[in-house]
Amino acid sequence: MEGSKAAYQQAEFIDDRYYTTPVHGDRPWEYAHLDHTEMDVKLRHSRIKKKKFRRKAWLTLLIDSRTRRVLASHKSFEKPSRVSCMMVIRDCVLRHGRLPDCIVVDGGSEFISKYFEKLLARYNCDIQWRPPTKPRFGSIIERFIHTLNKQLLHNLLGNTKIMKRARQVTKEVDPDTHAVWTLPLLDEALDRYFYEEYDTREHSSLGQSPREAFNELMEKFNPPSPYSINYDQIFLIETMIPVKRGALKVQQSRGIKVFGTWYKCREFRDPVVIGTKVPVHLDPDDVSHVYAYVKNRWIECFARARVLALLRGKSIRLMRIISIEERERSRSYYQNANVRLEELARCHSTREETEREEQQRLADEEAKEITARKERLKLIDVVKDHRNEAKEIGLGFDDEPEQNIVPAKLLTFKRTRRR
């Protein structure tokens, strides 16, 4: 009467201790689980105190299967998409300089896309899809999400745990009323929990902390050094979103056309390049420029000068919302679907912003705060490495007092200004 999903809950339990080969791998970096979840807490904006901005954020996690260690994470107001996959892969390379040997995912549309397969294949990483409607194959990450809610998220002001009993919700306990956390502050709290609290706490299945299990198994198996990935400009471009057709034709004296807008660069003047198709990647957070692969290197292409300032800093998601509203306003939703970005940006700058546009713009601002914080942490690590190298070769830094920089105490600009 209740169907196959109800019968799955009554299926026979299989203990992996009877297998000679562990289902979660023998060593770290052999298997990693990737999944998304909507966090059970309402967030407000860093600057706006009114109730017009109360939203729940999404969390993308990459967890090592053998040691249960969190390898990377990404927080955003946007629903899971290939952009979320791209950002969590960037975070993993930024922290560890490599990717797992195999990533285990479910049947989500963002995981079965050609973009995700090509991105992992470029860096020698395999994909393993879990059977549909069988969540036990992803028990590692499903259990961690339950632990995260129990130990952290459900203890924060503005958590939505009570919304499971919606009839009991009153104004005094409404999560929108008690929302005090912002996305940048929650990002700091989650990083502290992932890499300091949970990472050093004893795990019930391991008998030790994930960090101790990770270091012990790395010394035991001594795996060969992996294919190193440099977190540089080339890696950032390769992890951007390719255009729908993959490559675009270079038109003489115009360049390439993306979303109805022309982008040009100096290399497009070469007669050898004119008329050929070049791969093009988009920056999801800034539509004022794209990257084209010309003569075995990536070239940055910009929009025309009159629309460059209008498009700068606008995300693809924001322009998509503006495009939908423009089509609805002109009463031709099914005609002229591809409205030029130039016209959209000009209309957007001359009229009052709608509620949907304002919500998306505020969400993009919060996401940029997280990116800026990670760049500051990376810069601090680089400065520390240079100071250590200088001390080793004896450049006179021994007499200077070393400044202990604690990344956990770094505050965003918005948080400092409120004080």
Side-chain angles (χ1 to χ4, degrees):
M1 293 176 59
E2 298 181 5
S4 59
K5 290 188 176 182
Y8 178 73
Q9 303 296 330
Q10 306 298 329
E12 181 183 0
F13 175 74
I14 301 177
D15 195 345
D16 58 2
R17 291 179 296 179
Y18 293 100
Y19 292 92
T20 56
T21 302
V23 296
H24 301 310
D26 292 313
R27 56 176 176 83
W29 296 106
E30 188 173 0
Y31 293 101
H33 287 257
L34 177 62
D35 204 355
H36 316 279
T37 182
E38 189 176 21
M39 291 185 284
D40 292 340
V41 58
K42 283 292 187 72
L43 305 178
R44 65 174 182 85
H45 197 268
S46 301
R47 297 183 294 102
I48 299 177
K49 298 182 180 180
K50 298 181 180 180
K51 293 184 179 180
K52 61 182 297 185
F53 189 89
R54 294 291 187 271
R55 302 180 64 176
K56 296 172 68 175
W58 285 85
L59 175 64
T60 304
L61 287 170
L62 182 66
I63 298 180
D64 184 72
S65 180
R66 179 62 181 85
T67 62
R68 275 63 164 184
R69 197 178 193 190
V70 179
L71 301 178
S73 63
H74 172 64
K75 306 90 177 174
S76 174
F77 286 114
E78 307 302 328
K79 293 184 178 181
S81 63
R82 55 183 180 176
V83 177
S84 305
C85 301
M86 173 195 69
M87 296 303 295
V88 76
I89 289 176
R90 284 185 178 182
D91 189 57
C92 183
V93 174
L94 176 63
R95 295 180 182 276
H96 308 284
R98 61 162 298 176
L99 291 176
D101 297 339
C102 180
I103 294 182
V104 182
V105 296
D106 57 13
S109 59
E110 66 276 10
F111 297 133
I112 60 177
S113 63
K114 294 182 179 179
Y115 165 76
F116 187 66
E117 295 182 25
K118 290 180 180 179
L119 178 61
L120 295 185
R122 185 181 295 115
Y123 297 105
N124 301 323
C125 182
D126 298 331
I127 308 177
Q128 181 176 342
W129 286 276
R130 289 152 40 182
T133 67
K134 295 186 182 297
R136 292 178 186 171
F137 286 85
S139 59
I140 297 295
I141 195 166
E142 299 291 347
R143 177 60 185 176
F144 176 79
I145 293 174
H146 174 75
T147 303
L148 174 64
N149 290 331
K150 183 179 179 180
Q151 296 183 355
L152 180 63
L153 296 182
H154 288 172
N155 297 322
L156 301 178
L157 286 176
N159 71 84
T160 59
K161 182 180 179 180
I162 195 175
M163 297 305 295
K164 297 180 180 179
R165 304 185 301 273
R167 292 181 177 272
Q168 301 180 11
V169 178
T170 59
K171 185 176 181 181
E172 291 77 13
V173 295
D174 189 0
D176 290 342
T177 306
H178 298 278
V180 296
W181 286 85
T182 64
L183 186 61
L185 295 181
L186 184 60
D187 175 67
E188 295 181 11
L190 287 173
D191 284 352
R192 191 179 306 113
Y193 175 80
F194 293 154
Y195 308 112
E196 296 180 14
E197 299 177 12
Y198 170 80
D199 202 30
T200 58
R201 186 181 302 161
E202 182 178 353
H203 196 281
S204 58
S205 300
L206 302 174
Q208 55 185 341
S209 66
R211 181 181 300 179
E212 293 174 349
F214 183 88
N215 297 332
E216 180 180 336
L217 291 174
M218 289 294 289
E219 295 178 359
K220 177 181 178 181
F221 287 93
N222 191 19
S225 57
Y227 175 71
S228 179
I229 304 176
N230 296 324
Y231 191 84
D232 51 11
Q233 185 68 16
I234 296 179
F235 171 76
L236 296 178
I237 296 174
E238 290 180 345
T239 52
M240 289 182 181
I241 301 177
V243 294
K244 188 174 182 180
R245 289 171 289 178
L248 299 177
K249 186 176 181 180
V250 180
Q251 302 289 342
Q252 185 177 5
S253 71
R254 285 192 171 186
I256 55 178
K257 189 176 183 180
V258 183
F259 293 136
T261 300
W262 293 96
Y263 294 83
K264 299 175 61 176
C265 64
R266 183 176 301 176
E267 284 72 10
F268 288 166
R269 302 175 184 175
D270 191 347
V272 180
V273 180
I274 297 176
T276 61
K277 290 187 176 181
V278 295
V280 179
H281 284 192
L282 302 173
D283 187 353
D285 295 326
D286 192 353
V287 296
S288 64
H289 64 107
V290 299
Y291 291 90
Y293 194 72
V294 183
K295 295 183 178 180
N296 298 326
R297 63 193 185 99
W298 288 100
I299 304 298
E300 188 175 11
C301 308
F302 294 93
R304 287 175 292 182
R306 61 178 182 178
V307 297
L308 180 63
L310 298 176
L311 297 178
R312 188 181 300 277
K314 292 183 173 58
S315 64
I316 296 178
R317 298 174 294 271
L318 177 60
M319 300 307 298
R320 185 181 296 115
I321 292 176
I322 301 175
S323 176
I324 294 175
E325 293 179 350
E326 286 296 326
R327 294 199 299 266
E328 292 176 350
R329 182 175 288 104
S330 61
R331 296 182 181 180
S332 58
Y333 187 83
Y334 297 102
Q335 299 178 359
N336 300 326
N338 295 325
V339 183
R340 296 173 56 191
L341 290 179
E342 176 182 350
E343 298 176 358
L344 295 178
R346 185 180 298 107
C347 295
H348 176 71
S349 61
T350 56
R351 62 178 174 81
E352 184 179 1
E353 297 177 345
T354 63
E355 182 178 356
R356 292 182 62 192
E357 296 173 22
E358 180 68 11
Q359 292 280 334
Q360 184 61 48
R361 185 181 63 83
L362 296 176
D364 292 342
E365 288 182 0
E366 293 291 88
K368 291 179 182 179
E369 288 287 340
I370 297 179
T371 304
R373 172 177 168 270
K374 290 183 178 180
E375 292 179 354
R376 291 196 297 269
L377 294 178
K378 180 183 177 182
L379 180 61
I380 290 175
D381 295 337
V382 172
V383 172
K384 286 185 176 180
D385 294 339
H386 287 318
R387 290 180 61 87
N388 294 334
E389 293 177 359
K391 290 181 180 180
E392 291 179 359
I393 62 178
L395 290 181
F397 286 96
D398 296 334
D399 298 332
E400 296 183 4
E402 183 177 0
Q403 297 180 357
N404 296 325
I405 302 177
V406 182
K409 294 183 179 180
L410 290 178
L411 302 178
T412 60
F413 173 75
K414 304 296 181 184
R415 184 179 181 182
T416 305
R417 190 173 64 175
R418 288 201 306 275
R419 288 187 174 183

